[in-house]
Amino acid sequence: MSNELHYRFSNGQVANRFLNELTHWSSSSGHVVVKAKLAKASHTVQVRYEFDGRGFDYTCSELDELAANYGGEEV
């Protein structure tokens, strides 16, 4: 199952920090491949991931918490 989320941050520098964090991040939901890039605005990050469908998917809530650590919110 494919999911796409967008997170907005206060500025581009913070968005890039979040983006860098995602390069080393893994979900507790199992083998979830997360791909992220800056979206249309430099302060927005687009996150896509594929969930294998086994068990419950905690990835979205974990990404929300991670973004909140950087002052971001889902849009």
Side-chain angles (χ1 to χ4, degrees):
M1 176 169 73
S2 179
N3 293 301
E4 183 175 312
L5 306 164
H6 290 88
Y7 294 98
R8 180 176 43 221
F9 298 90
S10 59
N11 59 55
Q13 183 178 17
V14 177
N16 277 302
R17 288 180 182 157
F18 175 72
L19 189 61
N20 186 48
E21 177 82 20
L22 287 177
T23 61
H24 308 288
W25 181 83
S26 63
S27 173
S28 67
S29 296
H31 300 308
V32 177
V33 177
V34 176
K35 296 181 181 180
K37 65 179 182 177
L38 289 177
K40 295 176 183 176
S42 64
H43 64 282
T44 306
V45 176
Q46 174 188 0
V47 180
R48 290 183 181 180
Y49 70 91
E50 293 285 333
F51 180 64
D52 61 11
R54 290 183 268 164
F56 186 78
D57 182 13
Y58 294 98
T59 308
C60 183
S61 64
E62 291 173 350
L63 288 168
D64 288 349
E65 288 177 18
L66 183 61
N69 290 339
Y70 288 91
E73 61 182 2
E74 186 178 354
V75 290

